[in-house]
């Protein structure tokens, strides 16, 4: 498959490589032309931006390959926390502004992010190989489209999985470093509950039944999060489409209420999130199945530059400096494979 990837990169043709969580099989979908296909319910690998621009590498007409994943596991590096005081102050100021807005009753939660730009030219396949080796429990992907961009990531967050009318989604929020974690604070419990409530509210019109787990702690690389599994039955693929439309973007990556949080993000984050906090993955219209993930712990590859996108949930109890360090810790997930 590596030869095929190299060829596609040379010819500047779109492709995606991916590995499902806890699996060692590498899949590749290789488009034969360089059109941008809009996602309109055809089968393939979907790639949707934060502001809901929907693309797909369609299965039809593309080459599909699979093989055991056996790229070299090159060194894993530890990175030192490294940031400028300016960046820190800038982010803390925006968090403070969000706190004022929350206090004034404009919204309950907003997820604010940073775009960390690193001047660096990377070797794409080797870097993806390190990412795939390092985060086996995540959904790992490398997406390339000459007219859309090049992204890779290792996301711990499922947007939705549907098979035989059974669906599963998660509410994921709250973050700690694994090595210093003791227990969840009321702030974290509250910010995750906002996500769970929102998902349940938006599901009920579309599902036949729903089951909700207790919140539990999950590992994601060097971090831990608080997670609830929400599952049940849907009637048809139309329900699945409506659920996705209603869920995205969830308060795990946007905030609550959604419109107010979106407005704060667009007025205060000084860049386009593009595909960060969008969603991506498999859509099979014929089988009415989907396996989609939220695009987190990801980076965008430019010619001589990498953009790492990381965010964190702000609620009334947030502390601006702690939130800044949370984004730094999240960024280590990607920095350590560069
Ligand atoms: C926004 C991100 O992560 C999300 C926000 C979290 C939080 O605020 O604690 C935790 C997991 C994700 O739902 C990110 O990784 O960029």
């Amino acid at each position: 498959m590596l030869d095929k990837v190299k060829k596609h990169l040379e010819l500047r043709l779109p492709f995606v490589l991916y590995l499902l969580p806890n699996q060692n099989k590498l899949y590749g979908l290789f488009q034969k032309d360089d059109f941008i296909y809009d996602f309109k319910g055809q089968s393939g690998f979907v790639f949707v931006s934060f502001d809901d621009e929907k693309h797909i590498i369609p299965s039809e007409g593309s080459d599909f390959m699979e093989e055991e994943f056996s790229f070299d596991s090159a060194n894993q590096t530890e990175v030192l926390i490294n940031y400028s005081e300016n960046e820190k102050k800038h982010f803390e100021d925006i968090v403070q502004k969000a706190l004022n807005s929350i206090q004034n009753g404009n919204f309950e939660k907003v997820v604010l992010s940073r775009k960390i730009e690193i001047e660096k030219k990377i070797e794409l396949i080797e870097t993806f190989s390190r990412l795939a080796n390092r985060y086996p429990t995540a959904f790992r992907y490398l997406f390339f489209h000459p007219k859309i961009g090049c992204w890779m990531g290792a996301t711990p967050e499922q947007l939705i999985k549907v098979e035989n009318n059974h669906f599963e989604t998660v509410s994921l929020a709250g973050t700690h470093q694994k090595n210093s974690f003791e227990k969840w604070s009321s702030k974290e419990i509250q910010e995750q509950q906002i996500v769970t409530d929102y998902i349940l509210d938006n599901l009920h019109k579309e599902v036949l039944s729903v089951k909700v787990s207790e919140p539990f702690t999950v590992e994601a690389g060097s971090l831990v999060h608080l997670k609830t599994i929400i599952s049940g039955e849907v009637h048809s693929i139309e329900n699945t489409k409506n659920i996705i439309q209603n869920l995205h973007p969830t308060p795990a990556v946007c905030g609550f209420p959604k419109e107010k949080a979106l407005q704060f993000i667009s007025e205060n984050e000084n860049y386009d999130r593009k595909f960060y906090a969008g969603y991506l993955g498999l859509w099979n219209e014929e089988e009415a199945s989907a396996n989609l993930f939220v695009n987190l712990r990801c980076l965008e590859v430019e010619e001589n530059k990498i953009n790492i996108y990381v965010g964190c949930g702000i609620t009334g109890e947030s502390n601006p400096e702690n939130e800044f360090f949370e984004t730094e810790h999240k960024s280590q997930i990607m920095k350590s494979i560069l």
Side-chain angles (χ1 to χ4, degrees):
M1 186 154 3
L2 269 186
D3 290 342
K4 180 95 173 165
V5 173
K6 286 181 185 151
K7 191 100 209 145
H8 256 59
L9 283 169
E10 259 168 51
L11 297 172
R12 299 194 57 74
L13 287 173
F15 71 90
V16 62
L17 301 180
Y18 58 93
L19 294 99
L20 296 171
N22 303 308
Q23 285 190 21
N24 210 30
K25 191 156 274 182
L26 176 72
Y27 299 97
L29 191 60
F30 299 88
Q31 199 175 302
K32 292 184 188 149
D33 55 47
D34 67 353
F35 293 154
I36 298 181
Y37 291 98
D38 290 335
F39 175 49
K40 293 186 179 134
Q42 63 281 54
S43 297
F45 191 97
V46 302
F47 201 60
V48 177
S49 69
F50 179 68
D51 52 19
D52 218 24
E53 203 182 285
K54 298 186 177 79
H55 304 301
I56 186 162
I57 297 186
S59 305
E60 201 182 328
S62 299
D63 287 332
F64 178 71
M65 291 175 87
E66 61 176 85
E67 65 181 36
E68 283 308 303
F69 174 65
S70 62
F71 294 171
D72 280 348
S73 168
N75 322 347
Q76 302 182 341
T77 47
E78 290 303 328
V79 250
L80 295 172
I81 298 258
N82 174 17
Y83 56 85
S84 74
E85 282 305 320
N86 262 351
E87 275 175 272
K88 180 167 181 280
K89 170 140 190 357
H90 177 71
F91 189 70
E92 288 174 2
D93 286 348
I94 300 179
V95 173
Q96 189 53 56
K97 200 167 163 192
L99 284 171
N100 298 343
S101 248
I102 292 169
Q103 236 147 42
N104 292 339
N106 289 344
F107 44 81
E108 273 179 59
K109 173 179 176 179
V110 65
V111 179
L112 295 178
S113 72
R114 295 169 55 205
K115 175 179 172 185
I116 301 173
E117 301 177 42
I118 300 173
E119 300 291 328
K120 187 164 183 150
K121 188 167 177 64
I122 59 164
E123 213 293 307
L124 212 52
I125 299 169
E126 266 176 29
T127 309
F128 176 61
S129 175
R130 276 197 290 278
L131 180 81
N133 270 305
R134 188 148 194 176
Y135 301 111
T137 61
F139 177 78
R140 297 143 287 168
Y141 78 92
L142 167 63
F143 178 93
F144 171 77
H145 193 303
K147 297 170 180 166
I148 294 176
C150 182
W151 289 73
M152 68 173 87
T155 171
E157 186 162 336
Q158 180 107 52
L159 178 69
I160 195 164
K161 181 171 184 183
V162 186
E163 225 170 51
N164 301 325
N165 288 345
H166 181 78
F167 77 90
E168 194 170 297
T169 180
V170 301
S171 156
L172 191 82
T175 305
H176 268 281
Q177 280 189 287
K178 186 163 67 187
N179 55 21
S180 59
F181 174 68
E182 283 170 12
K183 71 190 227 326
W184 296 105
S185 67
S186 62
K187 181 252 173 193
E188 291 147 345
I189 292 170
Q190 182 216 4
E191 78 174 280
Q192 196 255 356
Q193 189 65 46
I194 290 174
V195 183
T196 308
D197 291 346
Y198 172 87
I199 294 175
L200 291 174
D201 263 7
N202 281 280
L203 277 178
H204 78 270
K205 283 192 268 1
E206 302 293 338
V207 299
L208 298 172
S209 65
V210 63
K211 235 170 71 185
V212 186
S213 78
E214 287 298 321
F216 58 97
T217 303
V218 279
E219 293 184 5
S222 50
L223 305 174
V224 288
H225 299 299
L226 194 53
K227 173 170 171 175
T228 300
I229 297 179
I230 299 160
S231 59
E233 305 302 314
V234 284
H235 192 58
S236 73
I237 195 160
E238 290 314 313
N239 297 124
T240 306
K241 287 179 184 165
N242 293 340
I243 289 171
I244 294 169
Q245 210 52 42
N246 295 344
L247 288 189
H248 173 72
T250 70
V253 294
C254 174
F256 183 80
K258 189 191 294 206
E259 292 312 323
K260 289 275 170 59
L262 271 175
Q263 192 186 341
F264 188 89
I265 290 169
S266 76
E267 286 171 2
N268 291 282
E269 279 185 359
N270 296 323
Y271 57 86
D272 182 357
R273 288 187 175 192
K274 296 187 185 168
F275 294 89
Y276 161 68
Y279 62 89
L280 77 175
L282 311 174
W283 184 265
N284 189 322
E285 185 82 9
E286 294 77 34
E287 291 177 5
S289 68
N291 199 359
L292 299 172
F293 294 83
V294 184
N295 196 9
L296 298 177
R297 318 295 145 82
C298 63
L299 55 87
E300 180 186 21
V301 185
E302 294 183 6
E303 192 53 43
N304 291 306
K305 190 165 139 276
I306 301 296
N307 302 316
I308 294 177
Y309 295 83
V310 273
C312 56
I314 313 300
T315 62
E317 291 179 64
S318 286
N319 168 297
E321 186 169 46
N322 292 349
E323 299 298 348
F324 175 79
F325 284 118
E326 181 174 321
T327 61
E328 274 300 304
H329 295 140
K330 282 178 177 156
S331 75
Q332 301 296 310
I333 305 240
M334 279 78 69
K335 284 180 183 161
S336 69
I337 53 107
L338 290 179

